[in-house]
Amino acid sequence: MWSRHTQDTILALIFSVWLGVYGEHEQGTLLTVNDVASYLNVPFNVKDRDVFHITTEEYLLALTDLTEELARLAVNSVTLGDYQRPLQISKFVKDLHAGFQILNLKNDILRRKSDAIKYNVSGALPAESRRY
């Protein structure tokens, strides 16, 4: 019932930290699922009792959403004359995509969304070459 809202909250947190506008992390830092749980003061992957918690699936789906936001940011950065950020985004999304390829995803929605990361990689790449 709360899964999509939880994913959106996780996305907002990891995107804010990645941008360097929240927390004490360097720009470009990816929060682990345990970091997210700690920030939100919510347990992670509780199976022995019925309580609100963050699941691995919610975290991974938030990461796929993050790549979509970063692809948009790459294009907007070039438009604003920031040519370094798309390079940083491209490397980060490529690394994230490589991590997803290692996983043996059986969940249909998660597998489809992780497959979409490669399109977000290609969306960030053209932004690297849009210097005028």
Side-chain angles (χ1 to χ4, degrees):
M1 178 170 142
W2 296 101
S3 188
R4 186 62 204 170
H5 300 293
T6 304
Q7 290 168 40
D8 290 343
T9 301
I10 295 169
L11 170 62
L13 178 60
I14 58 178
F15 195 28
S16 297
V17 169
W18 192 91
L19 290 171
V21 297
Y22 184 77
E24 299 176 3
H25 300 278
E26 246 181 72
Q27 181 185 6
T29 299
L30 177 64
L31 291 179
T32 66
V33 69
N34 290 321
D35 292 337
V36 170
S38 177
Y39 266 103
L40 299 176
N41 198 23
V42 174
F44 166 64
N45 239 12
V46 177
K47 295 183 182 192
D48 61 344
R49 60 191 189 284
D50 189 21
V51 295
F52 181 79
H53 64 280
I54 295 172
T55 65
T56 303
E57 180 180 289
E58 290 165 340
Y59 175 75
L60 292 174
L61 286 168
L63 290 181
T64 62
D65 292 342
L66 176 67
T67 64
E68 295 170 14
E69 295 303 322
L70 290 174
R72 284 188 203 101
L73 179 60
V75 172
N76 289 335
S77 295
V78 170
T79 302
L80 295 172
D82 181 355
Y83 302 113
Q84 292 305 312
R85 182 164 281 183
L87 298 172
Q88 178 189 20
I89 290 170
S90 177
K91 181 185 179 330
F92 179 81
V93 173
K94 284 179 189 175
D95 290 346
L96 201 57
H97 181 247
F100 268 91
Q101 287 181 315
I102 294 171
L103 300 175
N104 182 18
L105 299 173
K106 296 178 181 172
N107 177 318
D108 285 338
I109 193 164
L110 188 53
R111 188 180 67 243
R112 279 194 306 266
K113 289 200 68 153
S114 68
D115 288 344
I117 293 175
K118 65 184 163 199
Y119 299 110
N120 294 326
V121 169
S122 64
L125 289 176
E128 293 178 31
S129 60
R130 291 185 186 159
R131 296 180 188 191
Y132 299 115

